[in-house]
Amino acid sequence: MSLPATPPIVIGTRGSPLAMAQAKEAQARLAAALGWDIARLTLRPFTTTGDVIQDRALAEAGGKGLFTKELDAALLDGRIDLAVHSAKDLPTFLPEGLVIAGYLPREDVRDVFISPLAGSLATLPAGTVVGTASPRRQAQVLRARPDLKVALLRGNVGTRLQKLERGEAGATLLALAGLKRLGMESHATRIFSTDEMLPAVGQGAIAVTTRAEDARLREAVGRISHAETEASLTLERAFLAVLDGSCRTPIAGHARISGETVRFRGLVLRPDGTDAVEIASEGQARDAAEIGMRAGHDIKARLPGGMLQA
C-alpha cells in the first residue's frame, strides 16, 4: 500500500560517485516500496568536511563524523528528510534527534589488495609503500608485513586508483563493496579473506538516517530495511559503542548471520600492528545488541594500556 500524497522526499548524500550510487540505490528501493514515481524522491548532494580535507588523516582534523555532520545538520533543520551513508562512516553515537531508520542489504564485506608490483600483500617487495587512509588497514598491513611502509592516501575510489597509477604508492587497499557498486571490481589484484583482513564495523552496508520524531519516514525506510543486515550492524555497533575508540584507534569487527545464529569476530590493534587483541563470540541473532556489548566489554578488559587512544 502506498503512502497518501505527500510532498517529495529529499534524500541527502555526499556527492562522490560511490555515495551517489548508494543514494540512488536507496532512492530506487524506496520508490518501489512506496509505489511512487522515482522523481518524487529527490537527491541533494553535499560536500562534507571529510571530502574537503585531503592533505592529512581525518583523525588529525577532528575524527569521527567528518563525513556526516553536514548531512546531520541538514536533517535537523529540515533541508533534507533522509540521509544515506556508508554505515562505516557513521559515528558511534548519532546527534540527539537523529536515528538510523534502516539498512539496505549488505554488499561483500571484504577488502581488496591492489598493486601493479605484486599479486598479494605477502609478495610485495620489502620497503614498498602501501597507501591508505585507514588506521585499521594500516595496522593489519603492518601486523602481517612489518617490513612495509604505510603512507597516507586520501580521496575517493577513482582518485586513489589514479594516485596508485602515478606511483604515489606501490599498493593500496579498498573495500570490495565500493568497487562493486561502481562496477570497478576488475581493479582488484586480490581479495582478502576476512581472516586475513578483518573489515571495519559496518563495512559494505548502507545506512539511512532520519529525524527520530518523523514516524512516517521511519516507517517508510523500515519497508526497505534488510533484517539480517540490521542485526549484524546492531551487534557490530554495540561492540564499537563499548570500546568508543577514537578515529585513531584501529578497530575491526564483523558479524555474520546463519539462520538464527550470529557469529562475531572483533579486533583492536595498535597503529603500528605490534599489539593485537581478538575476540570471537556467537549467539542468537535476536540477542545481537547484547552479544556485541558483551564482546566489547570482554575485549576491553584484555587490552594493554593505551590501546584505546583518546
Side-chain angles (χ1 to χ4, degrees), residues 10 12 14 33-34 40 58 79 105 116 121 138-139 142 168 192 195 218 221 229 235 283 303:
V10 181
R14 291 169 60 199
L34 299 175
R40 293 187 62 202
L58 294 180
R79 283 176 288 157
L121 183 68
Q138 169 185 305
L142 293 175
E168 294 185 29
F192 289 104
D195 289 332
R218 291 180 68 176
V221 176
T229 300
L235 194 161
L303 293 179

PDB file of all heavy atoms in Angstrom, residues 10 12 14 33-34 40 58 79 105 116 121 138-139 142 168 192 195 218 221 229 235 283 303:
ATOM      1  N   VAL A  10      13.211  14.450   0.220  1.00  0.00           N
ATOM      2  CA  VAL A  10      14.541  14.918  -0.163  1.00  0.00           C
ATOM      3  C   VAL A  10      15.577  14.053   0.546  1.00  0.00           C
ATOM      4  O   VAL A  10      15.592  13.960   1.781  1.00  0.00           O
ATOM      5  CB  VAL A  10      14.746  16.403   0.192  1.00  0.00           C
ATOM      6  CG1 VAL A  10      16.137  16.859  -0.253  1.00  0.00           C
ATOM      7  CG2 VAL A  10      13.664  17.256  -0.459  1.00  0.00           C
ATOM      8  N   GLY A  12      19.453  13.304   1.306  1.00  0.00           N
ATOM      9  CA  GLY A  12      20.785  13.892   1.331  1.00  0.00           C
ATOM     10  C   GLY A  12      21.859  12.841   1.183  1.00  0.00           C
ATOM     11  O   GLY A  12      21.714  11.709   1.648  1.00  0.00           O
ATOM     12  N   ARG A  14      26.476  12.466   0.307  1.00  0.00           N
ATOM     13  CA  ARG A  14      27.729  13.039  -0.181  1.00  0.00           C
ATOM     14  C   ARG A  14      27.694  13.012  -1.706  1.00  0.00           C
ATOM     15  O   ARG A  14      26.964  12.233  -2.308  1.00  0.00           O
ATOM     16  CB  ARG A  14      28.921  12.248   0.333  1.00  0.00           C
ATOM     17  CG  ARG A  14      29.157  12.364   1.818  1.00  0.00           C
ATOM     18  CD  ARG A  14      30.185  11.335   2.296  1.00  0.00           C
ATOM     19  NE  ARG A  14      31.472  11.492   1.637  1.00  0.00           N
ATOM     20  CZ  ARG A  14      32.405  10.545   1.588  1.00  0.00           C
ATOM     21  NH1 ARG A  14      32.186   9.352   2.129  1.00  0.00           N
ATOM     22  NH2 ARG A  14      33.561  10.781   0.979  1.00  0.00           N
ATOM     23  N   ALA A  33       9.050   0.550  -2.967  1.00  0.00           N
ATOM     24  CA  ALA A  33       8.321   0.146  -1.769  1.00  0.00           C
ATOM     25  C   ALA A  33       7.102   1.019  -1.509  1.00  0.00           C
ATOM     26  O   ALA A  33       6.079   0.547  -0.999  1.00  0.00           O
ATOM     27  CB  ALA A  33       9.256   0.179  -0.561  1.00  0.00           C
ATOM     28  N   LEU A  34       7.213   2.303  -1.867  1.00  0.00           N
ATOM     29  CA  LEU A  34       6.118   3.237  -1.607  1.00  0.00           C
ATOM     30  C   LEU A  34       5.131   3.324  -2.770  1.00  0.00           C
ATOM     31  O   LEU A  34       4.066   3.937  -2.638  1.00  0.00           O
ATOM     32  CB  LEU A  34       6.685   4.641  -1.327  1.00  0.00           C
ATOM     33  CG  LEU A  34       7.608   4.763  -0.110  1.00  0.00           C
ATOM     34  CD1 LEU A  34       8.177   6.172  -0.025  1.00  0.00           C
ATOM     35  CD2 LEU A  34       6.876   4.407   1.174  1.00  0.00           C
ATOM     36  N   ARG A  40       9.699  11.667  -7.345  1.00  0.00           N
ATOM     37  CA  ARG A  40       9.209  12.275  -6.102  1.00  0.00           C
ATOM     38  C   ARG A  40      10.196  12.103  -4.949  1.00  0.00           C
ATOM     39  O   ARG A  40       9.966  12.613  -3.857  1.00  0.00           O
ATOM     40  CB  ARG A  40       7.860  11.659  -5.716  1.00  0.00           C
ATOM     41  CG  ARG A  40       6.745  12.021  -6.704  1.00  0.00           C
ATOM     42  CD  ARG A  40       5.404  11.540  -6.212  1.00  0.00           C
ATOM     43  NE  ARG A  40       5.034  12.167  -4.951  1.00  0.00           N
ATOM     44  CZ  ARG A  40       4.159  11.661  -4.091  1.00  0.00           C
ATOM     45  NH1 ARG A  40       3.578  10.495  -4.342  1.00  0.00           N
ATOM     46  NH2 ARG A  40       3.866  12.295  -2.983  1.00  0.00           N
ATOM     47  N   LEU A  58      42.138  12.059   8.767  1.00  0.00           N
ATOM     48  CA  LEU A  58      40.946  12.654   9.358  1.00  0.00           C
ATOM     49  C   LEU A  58      41.035  12.727  10.876  1.00  0.00           C
ATOM     50  O   LEU A  58      40.428  13.604  11.495  1.00  0.00           O
ATOM     51  CB  LEU A  58      39.698  11.880   8.937  1.00  0.00           C
ATOM     52  CG  LEU A  58      39.372  11.949   7.438  1.00  0.00           C
ATOM     53  CD1 LEU A  58      38.118  11.149   7.143  1.00  0.00           C
ATOM     54  CD2 LEU A  58      39.211  13.384   6.973  1.00  0.00           C
ATOM     55  N   ARG A  79      16.230  20.670   5.884  1.00  0.00           N
ATOM     56  CA  ARG A  79      16.560  20.834   4.465  1.00  0.00           C
ATOM     57  C   ARG A  79      16.465  19.505   3.714  1.00  0.00           C
ATOM     58  O   ARG A  79      16.227  19.490   2.503  1.00  0.00           O
ATOM     59  CB  ARG A  79      17.976  21.406   4.314  1.00  0.00           C
ATOM     60  CG  ARG A  79      18.080  22.908   4.583  1.00  0.00           C
ATOM     61  CD  ARG A  79      19.523  23.346   4.516  1.00  0.00           C
ATOM     62  NE  ARG A  79      20.284  22.874   5.673  1.00  0.00           N
ATOM     63  CZ  ARG A  79      21.600  22.711   5.695  1.00  0.00           C
ATOM     64  NH1 ARG A  79      22.319  22.928   4.599  1.00  0.00           N
ATOM     65  NH2 ARG A  79      22.205  22.305   6.797  1.00  0.00           N
ATOM     66  N   PRO A 105      20.394  -4.059   1.987  1.00  0.00           N
ATOM     67  CA  PRO A 105      21.119  -5.329   2.032  1.00  0.00           C
ATOM     68  C   PRO A 105      22.624  -5.115   1.886  1.00  0.00           C
ATOM     69  O   PRO A 105      23.080  -4.361   1.019  1.00  0.00           O
ATOM     70  CB  PRO A 105      20.540  -6.104   0.843  1.00  0.00           C
ATOM     71  CG  PRO A 105      19.161  -5.548   0.672  1.00  0.00           C
ATOM     72  CD  PRO A 105      19.284  -4.089   0.997  1.00  0.00           C
ATOM     73  N   PRO A 116      50.350  -2.794  -8.801  1.00  0.00           N
ATOM     74  CA  PRO A 116      50.986  -3.199 -10.059  1.00  0.00           C
ATOM     75  C   PRO A 116      52.295  -3.957  -9.819  1.00  0.00           C
ATOM     76  O   PRO A 116      52.915  -4.426 -10.774  1.00  0.00           O
ATOM     77  CB  PRO A 116      51.263  -1.852 -10.737  1.00  0.00           C
ATOM     78  CG  PRO A 116      51.511  -0.911  -9.590  1.00  0.00           C
ATOM     79  CD  PRO A 116      50.612  -1.381  -8.473  1.00  0.00           C
ATOM     80  N   LEU A 121      49.670  -9.084  -0.835  1.00  0.00           N
ATOM     81  CA  LEU A 121      50.405  -8.360   0.197  1.00  0.00           C
ATOM     82  C   LEU A 121      51.654  -9.141   0.595  1.00  0.00           C
ATOM     83  O   LEU A 121      52.723  -8.556   0.814  1.00  0.00           O
ATOM     84  CB  LEU A 121      49.504  -8.152   1.417  1.00  0.00           C
ATOM     85  CG  LEU A 121      50.087  -7.354   2.586  1.00  0.00           C
ATOM     86  CD1 LEU A 121      50.297  -5.900   2.190  1.00  0.00           C
ATOM     87  CD2 LEU A 121      49.172  -7.433   3.810  1.00  0.00           C
ATOM     88  N   GLN A 138      46.020   0.053   7.980  1.00  0.00           N
ATOM     89  CA  GLN A 138      47.437   0.264   8.269  1.00  0.00           C
ATOM     90  C   GLN A 138      47.937  -0.728   9.309  1.00  0.00           C
ATOM     91  O   GLN A 138      48.969  -1.386   9.122  1.00  0.00           O
ATOM     92  CB  GLN A 138      47.657   1.685   8.797  1.00  0.00           C
ATOM     93  CG  GLN A 138      49.060   1.914   9.364  1.00  0.00           C
ATOM     94  CD  GLN A 138      49.213   3.287   9.989  1.00  0.00           C
ATOM     95  OE1 GLN A 138      48.960   4.295   9.346  1.00  0.00           O
ATOM     96  NE2 GLN A 138      49.637   3.330  11.250  1.00  0.00           N
ATOM     97  N   ALA A 139      47.199  -0.854  10.406  1.00  0.00           N
ATOM     98  CA  ALA A 139      47.644  -1.719  11.500  1.00  0.00           C
ATOM     99  C   ALA A 139      47.686  -3.182  11.066  1.00  0.00           C
ATOM    100  O   ALA A 139      48.618  -3.920  11.427  1.00  0.00           O
ATOM    101  CB  ALA A 139      46.720  -1.548  12.702  1.00  0.00           C
ATOM    102  N   LEU A 142      50.731  -3.743   8.710  1.00  0.00           N
ATOM    103  CA  LEU A 142      51.995  -3.783   9.441  1.00  0.00           C
ATOM    104  C   LEU A 142      52.078  -4.997  10.362  1.00  0.00           C
ATOM    105  O   LEU A 142      53.173  -5.501  10.630  1.00  0.00           O
ATOM    106  CB  LEU A 142      52.185  -2.487  10.236  1.00  0.00           C
ATOM    107  CG  LEU A 142      52.380  -1.240   9.380  1.00  0.00           C
ATOM    108  CD1 LEU A 142      52.444   0.002  10.250  1.00  0.00           C
ATOM    109  CD2 LEU A 142      53.640  -1.352   8.522  1.00  0.00           C
ATOM    110  N   GLU A 168      52.338   7.068  -6.576  1.00  0.00           N
ATOM    111  CA  GLU A 168      52.398   7.685  -5.251  1.00  0.00           C
ATOM    112  C   GLU A 168      52.440   6.637  -4.153  1.00  0.00           C
ATOM    113  O   GLU A 168      52.762   6.936  -3.003  1.00  0.00           O
ATOM    114  CB  GLU A 168      51.209   8.631  -5.058  1.00  0.00           C
ATOM    115  CG  GLU A 168      51.258   9.840  -5.988  1.00  0.00           C
ATOM    116  CD  GLU A 168      50.134  10.830  -5.715  1.00  0.00           C
ATOM    117  OE1 GLU A 168      49.666  10.909  -4.555  1.00  0.00           O
ATOM    118  OE2 GLU A 168      49.720  11.524  -6.665  1.00  0.00           O
ATOM    119  N   PHE A 192      41.095 -10.128  -0.144  1.00  0.00           N
ATOM    120  CA  PHE A 192      41.455 -10.702   1.148  1.00  0.00           C
ATOM    121  C   PHE A 192      40.293 -11.520   1.704  1.00  0.00           C
ATOM    122  O   PHE A 192      39.125 -11.152   1.530  1.00  0.00           O
ATOM    123  CB  PHE A 192      41.749  -9.595   2.171  1.00  0.00           C
ATOM    124  CG  PHE A 192      43.016  -8.826   1.944  1.00  0.00           C
ATOM    125  CD1 PHE A 192      42.983  -7.555   1.413  1.00  0.00           C
ATOM    126  CD2 PHE A 192      44.243  -9.370   2.300  1.00  0.00           C
ATOM    127  CE1 PHE A 192      44.154  -6.824   1.237  1.00  0.00           C
ATOM    128  CE2 PHE A 192      45.413  -8.654   2.124  1.00  0.00           C
ATOM    129  CZ  PHE A 192      45.375  -7.376   1.587  1.00  0.00           C
ATOM    130  N   ASP A 195      39.624 -13.495   7.379  1.00  0.00           N
ATOM    131  CA  ASP A 195      40.647 -13.951   8.315  1.00  0.00           C
ATOM    132  C   ASP A 195      41.944 -13.178   8.113  1.00  0.00           C
ATOM    133  O   ASP A 195      42.672 -12.899   9.070  1.00  0.00           O
ATOM    134  CB  ASP A 195      40.919 -15.447   8.134  1.00  0.00           C
ATOM    135  CG  ASP A 195      39.773 -16.316   8.616  1.00  0.00           C
ATOM    136  OD1 ASP A 195      39.039 -15.873   9.532  1.00  0.00           O
ATOM    137  OD2 ASP A 195      39.602 -17.422   8.075  1.00  0.00           O
ATOM    138  N   ARG A 218      10.307   7.078   9.151  1.00  0.00           N
ATOM    139  CA  ARG A 218      10.895   5.890   9.779  1.00  0.00           C
ATOM    140  C   ARG A 218      10.150   4.635   9.306  1.00  0.00           C
ATOM    141  O   ARG A 218      10.767   3.604   9.028  1.00  0.00           O
ATOM    142  CB  ARG A 218      10.851   6.009  11.300  1.00  0.00           C
ATOM    143  CG  ARG A 218      11.799   7.074  11.852  1.00  0.00           C
ATOM    144  CD  ARG A 218      11.739   7.179  13.360  1.00  0.00           C
ATOM    145  NE  ARG A 218      12.291   5.986  14.015  1.00  0.00           N
ATOM    146  CZ  ARG A 218      12.421   5.864  15.327  1.00  0.00           C
ATOM    147  NH1 ARG A 218      12.033   6.855  16.128  1.00  0.00           N
ATOM    148  NH2 ARG A 218      12.932   4.772  15.847  1.00  0.00           N
ATOM    149  N   VAL A 221      11.202   3.922   5.580  1.00  0.00           N
ATOM    150  CA  VAL A 221      12.521   3.297   5.464  1.00  0.00           C
ATOM    151  C   VAL A 221      12.474   1.869   6.002  1.00  0.00           C
ATOM    152  O   VAL A 221      13.148   0.971   5.482  1.00  0.00           O
ATOM    153  CB  VAL A 221      13.591   4.133   6.199  1.00  0.00           C
ATOM    154  CG1 VAL A 221      14.948   3.421   6.169  1.00  0.00           C
ATOM    155  CG2 VAL A 221      13.709   5.513   5.567  1.00  0.00           C
ATOM    156  N   THR A 229      20.973  -7.623   7.756  1.00  0.00           N
ATOM    157  CA  THR A 229      21.972  -6.562   7.844  1.00  0.00           C
ATOM    158  C   THR A 229      21.767  -5.749   9.111  1.00  0.00           C
ATOM    159  O   THR A 229      22.732  -5.391   9.802  1.00  0.00           O
ATOM    160  CB  THR A 229      21.891  -5.646   6.604  1.00  0.00           C
ATOM    161  OG1 THR A 229      22.125  -6.430   5.442  1.00  0.00           O
ATOM    162  CG2 THR A 229      22.914  -4.523   6.677  1.00  0.00           C
ATOM    163  N   LEU A 235      24.851  -5.548  16.214  1.00  0.00           N
ATOM    164  CA  LEU A 235      25.898  -6.197  17.002  1.00  0.00           C
ATOM    165  C   LEU A 235      27.223  -5.440  16.863  1.00  0.00           C
ATOM    166  O   LEU A 235      27.866  -5.104  17.867  1.00  0.00           O
ATOM    167  CB  LEU A 235      26.062  -7.646  16.543  1.00  0.00           C
ATOM    168  CG  LEU A 235      26.873  -8.586  17.454  1.00  0.00           C
ATOM    169  CD1 LEU A 235      26.564 -10.045  17.124  1.00  0.00           C
ATOM    170  CD2 LEU A 235      28.369  -8.343  17.368  1.00  0.00           C
ATOM    171  N   GLY A 283      25.961 -16.386  19.188  1.00  0.00           N
ATOM    172  CA  GLY A 283      24.715 -16.496  19.936  1.00  0.00           C
ATOM    173  C   GLY A 283      23.539 -16.374  19.005  1.00  0.00           C
ATOM    174  O   GLY A 283      23.677 -16.513  17.783  1.00  0.00           O
ATOM    175  N   LEU A 303      42.694  -5.446  27.008  1.00  0.00           N
ATOM    176  CA  LEU A 303      43.569  -4.568  26.238  1.00  0.00           C
ATOM    177  C   LEU A 303      44.726  -4.043  27.098  1.00  0.00           C
ATOM    178  O   LEU A 303      44.522  -3.591  28.216  1.00  0.00           O
ATOM    179  CB  LEU A 303      42.789  -3.379  25.687  1.00  0.00           C
ATOM    180  CG  LEU A 303      41.716  -3.665  24.626  1.00  0.00           C
ATOM    181  CD1 LEU A 303      41.031  -2.362  24.234  1.00  0.00           C
ATOM    182  CD2 LEU A 303      42.332  -4.338  23.415  1.00  0.00           C
TER     183      LEU A 303
END
